[in-house]
Amino acid sequence: MHKTLFKNIRREITSAPGRFIAVLLIIILGASFYTGLRSVAPSMKLTADDYYVGTQLADFRILSDFGVTDADIAALRERPEVAQVMPLYTADVLAKSKDGIFVYVVRSIPATVSDETSDYLSRLTLTEGRMPENAWECLADSASESEIGDRITITDENEADTLDLFGETTFTVVGIAYAPSFISIERGNTTIGNGKIDYFLYLPEASFDSEYYIEADILLKTARDMSAFSDTYKDIIAAEEDVFEAFGIERAEFRYADIREDAEKELAEGQKEYDDAKAEADEKLADALKEIEEGQADLDAGYREYREKEKEIADAGLQVANGKYAVEFQREQLTAAVLETAAARAQVEAKRAELAAGHAQLDALITAGADPALIAALQAQLAAGDAQLAAADLQTSAAEAQLRAADAQLSAGEGQVLGAEQALADGKIQLADGKKKLDDAEKELVDGRAEYEDAKAEAEKELEEARIELEDGRKELEELEKPEWFVFSRDDNPGYSGFESDAARINGLSMTITSFLFLVAALVCLTTMTRMVEEQRLQIGTLKALGYRKGTIMFKFIFYALLIGVLGGVIGVILGLVVFPRVIWNAYAMLYTMDDMQLAIALVPCLIGALGGLVATMTATLVACGSDLRLAAAELMRPKAPKAGKRVLLERVSIIWKHLRFSHKVTIRNLFRNKRRFVTTIFGVAGCCALLLTGLGIRDSIGSMVELQYGELNHALIDVYLDGAGSRNDDTEINEVLGAHGQYAYVYIADASASKGRKNNNGMQTYLYVPENPDMLKDFIDLRERVGKKEIAFPPVLPAEVRSAAGADLPGVVITEKLAKQLDAKPGDEIEFAAITSREMKAIVTGVTENYIYNYIYLTPESYTSMFGAEPEYTTAILIPDKAEDADLLAALTDIIKTENVKSATSTVQIKDLLNDIVRSLNAIVWVIIGVAGGLAMVVLYNLTNINIIERERELATLKVLGFYRTEVSAYVNRESMVLTVIGIICGLLCGILLHRYVMDSVEVSEFMFGRLIKPVSFLYATLFTLFCGIAINISMHPKILKIDPVGALKSAE
Amino acid sequence: MSGYIKFTDVFKTYGDGDIQTHALKQASFEVAQGEFCVIVGPSGAGKTTILNILGGIDKCTSGSILVDGKDLSKMNEMQLTTYRRHDVGFVFQFYNLIGNLTAIENVELASEICKDPLDPTATLNAVELSHRMTNFPAQLSGGEQQRVSIARALAKNPKLLLCDEPTGALDENTGRQILDLLQRTCKNSGMTVILITHNTAITEMAERVIHVKSGQIAETKMNEHPKSVDQISW
């Protein structure tokens, strides 16, 4: 080719480097953005695949509710498609580390880990320390705060069954690791603690003490080294999942038989034990009873004897009393007789004294010699008296003797009576003693009887309990379900599927934005090349006149474009590959832990990225050259007739127009004079602004979901899953616990798939939601239309026109907005849905309710019963907590999960965490978008301003000659770009709203309806940033305007 | 009134060190107020340099330029701009109209920024373009464009009207009209008009003729009886 032409091209670049760079930059921007973002997903996948293959991530994890036996493991190993099987122990435990008590998922590491071929799957990567070698050593989660040397202790709060599993309970951290089973910072959910696993903990097998394993991890031969994201892998896994589940049922037979046998043996033993115990107890009780009865007989005999003796004594008492009475009577008589005798004695004595006196008197008379007759008479008289006295004396003495005899006799009688009395008293004491003894014996007997009754009751109770236990055991055996295998694929690993959707999300985003960037690139190119061709009109004409052929002349421009296209493409692709995957990977590194990123250089995105720029520049050049090159040389030699100034619409409004300054008029006319430039700039600026708004809006929208869902729509922030239905109303404990934390209600939630008409057979994943008390649902969840916020009736009310139509007997349901969108269903439409095991049921949509998180079909218990023929089981409690702070929710969860019959409980905190992670991962993309948007705006505005200045150099020089000050001259140019910037911003904000919607649609995942909200502050930021770009360009161009020499005004045009 | 404009020992040197080009070498001349002065000389003689310096869009290397008592050589960029704004009217060889403004707007462009402007409409009337007032430059002929350009310069009511080969891009007849307009303006308004040209024929209509040759003032000649435009031919 002609040397001079190359020189010409070189000069073209060096003389106006700004233009060259501007176009180059926009091509680089487009190419790098496209290639870069397109490479993110492949790179993420490549990295993940390498990591999965390198660590031999298990394809399946099999857990059984009755454990996995050695026989199961052996059977699995024998299967042809299975490459390796790793049996392991696992449990979710509460354990204490130096930072507090956390919920850990504990897994065992096989005994041999060093051997490459050993059955060691989902291998850990040590970041520090070594593998545990002893039963008391462990590996800690790299996401935890644990350090080597820390001690982690499994607390006593854990259930006994769990604690039984461990041989050791305190472990020393000897290494820190990350694991392919836990790529996400989410460690999964559990049924202990607050329902969320905090960290993993790996222990050697030796730390466990259990007869059988809990889990078997499987690596497939058939899927070995295969990309986990490939359809082939997914197909294999989907097929194998069924196979293993079927195999599980087969294996379950064996396990079932074993368990049954064991249980039967145990039951038989139990029965025997029971029987023995019962016999023994019966015998012992009978003995005791016999003893008691004998005692009773003895006692009765005793009492009889006692009563006889008592009678005897009573009789004797009576006799004694009679005797005593008689003796006393005799004594009285005797005493009277004694007194009588004493009186007689006294008479005798008196008489004696009288006689003695008579004798004395006689003697005296005798002496005195008184009449002897008289004396004789007296003597006779005295003799008679003496005789009489002697007789009386005798008589009295006889009586006295008689009395003395009687007294003696009586005294003997009295003595006898006294003796009898004494004897009686003794007898009475004896009797009392006997009575006391008898009473004691009786009391003893009563006690003994009570004791016996107690013992009997107790024995009976114990026996009854044993019997019930046996009965239960028997019933349990009767009801013994076959052990079930739970087959988990990698998708069930926490965060595993999120990784893929995160990667896909970026792909969706990159397409939209890149196409746009290339479009702007093409436009920028077009304006630039057009300007260039215009500038060189004379030269083209001259070359033509000199005899150069069209192709040769064009070659210069084509080469220029080619150079930019190739250079920009190559630089862009390289830059894109180097920058974007790394930046985004680093952002995701907050969420996922894996080996270092591996850059996947996929040919197609690179080619498209590179060629996209080339196509844009080439097309633009051909379009720009096309018209001018057709002209004759002579015509080209003449300066192009200046483009006529054109009136714009505004001029018709002369009131406004007249008051405008000339410089404003120029600006307005200029804006409309060059439509390409106008469009390019508007596109660029609007694109910048729209991208910014989209980027900021993505965060707003996802962030706002939680706020809308749990701040406005759902008042129930805690879901509690119960172990079984039926218990709920009787289970006062649950009701009390729930009541203590807030207002609650019971609902039935079941997996279901919904479809509409024949067109989507796959069915959309959703949940059936049946409130026990339909009228109360509105207390817990607001059912309302998003637009207009109109409340939706529940229980559903069929629209009148549907009621009258054929499907009048179909039940009405309210469905959530995302589901409605997926099904393309609106109120009045008929949809079908099926619970997991049922056939399809038809219902009429009566309302579409605003909802962001998960999809629901709300229906009444009556509808459910009529459709599925069974009462719904209200196994879920929804709770409006009294206190709704995150910490309060978690505290409430911890409290609720502890309750018996509560299977698990979740709160909105978990969902919030999940969404916050998504938002965080998008932050990096937002930054990338902001960077690209800024670059876009800068390049486009620079290009425009640059062309404007070059093109108007003469005009500006003239203005300078006319005496315009610098600022006035700058303003003359800048006003145009500022007006375009403002118009661009307005368009951009409008486009941004649309782009945001589109992007949200493409990044949305099926279980969420992302909000469509963009916060006002985001509008402000987008506007300010775009303005900033405009102003920055204006400022940077100021020196260039200053440099224009007014002398240039005198030169001829070209 | 001699000395209204006074060039004294003005040097204009391009380049530095060994290779120096003198565009003006010790140029000295005077022009009186209200004079119609023509600076004539061959291409590259330095007449444009004189005009540039006089118009305040270029600076001399040494010497002094007095215009109405003000020394341009001592002015800074800002002061020169102000000088241009208020004291100088420029008529360009290629008219330099703003393509996107109508004739009247182009005039307003200048009148809007200076202290004591003439009425733009009146000015355009004066150059006999009242009927083309709202036309865009592209819709005007060369002569008409040059008349707009003159009107734009006049509207500023400047002390000095500088014309750079105003007929250079025009045919003879149109050129005559333009020169006639300039001569009349000079006479009627008393404005000092300085016109540069390489066309010696035009010198005959000037009151003062300054010949420039190789950057030096070769000769300054006063015409006692300047001819009117229709009396001269080229």
Side-chain angles (χ1 to χ4, degrees), chain A residues 645 647 657 662 666 669-670 673 954-955 958 960-965 968 972 1047 1049-1052, chain B residues 52 57 78 81-82 84-85 90 92 94 96 98 100-102 105 109 112-113 134 136 152 156 164:
Chain A
R647 290 181 188 285
W657 191 252
F662 77 93
V666 170
R669 290 217 184 94
N670 278 345
R673 182 166 63 171
R954 197 175 157 73
E955 211 168 286
T958 308
K960 284 192 169 184
V961 172
L962 287 178
F964 279 72
Y965 294 121
E968 287 171 330
Y972 182 83
V1047 175
L1050 307 182
K1051 291 183 183 136
S1052 76
Chain B
N52 288 351
I57 58 178
M78 182 73 182
T81 309
T82 313
R84 290 201 298 269
R85 200 176 174 104
F90 237 103
F92 303 93
F94 301 104
N96 290 22
I98 309 292
N100 239 345
L101 293 176
T102 58
E105 283 162 3
L109 171 71
E112 251 179 35
I113 58 167
T134 57
F136 285 102
R152 183 173 66 183
K156 288 168 81 174
D164 180 23

Side-chain angles (χ1 to χ4, degrees), chain B residues 201-221:
Chain B
I202 295 175
T203 58
E204 288 178 42
M205 60 180 286
E207 288 168 281
R208 185 191 297 264
V209 180
I210 299 170
H211 286 270
V212 189
K213 209 181 254 176
S214 310
Q216 286 175 309
I217 308 298
E219 182 191 14
T220 305
K221 196 171 76 185

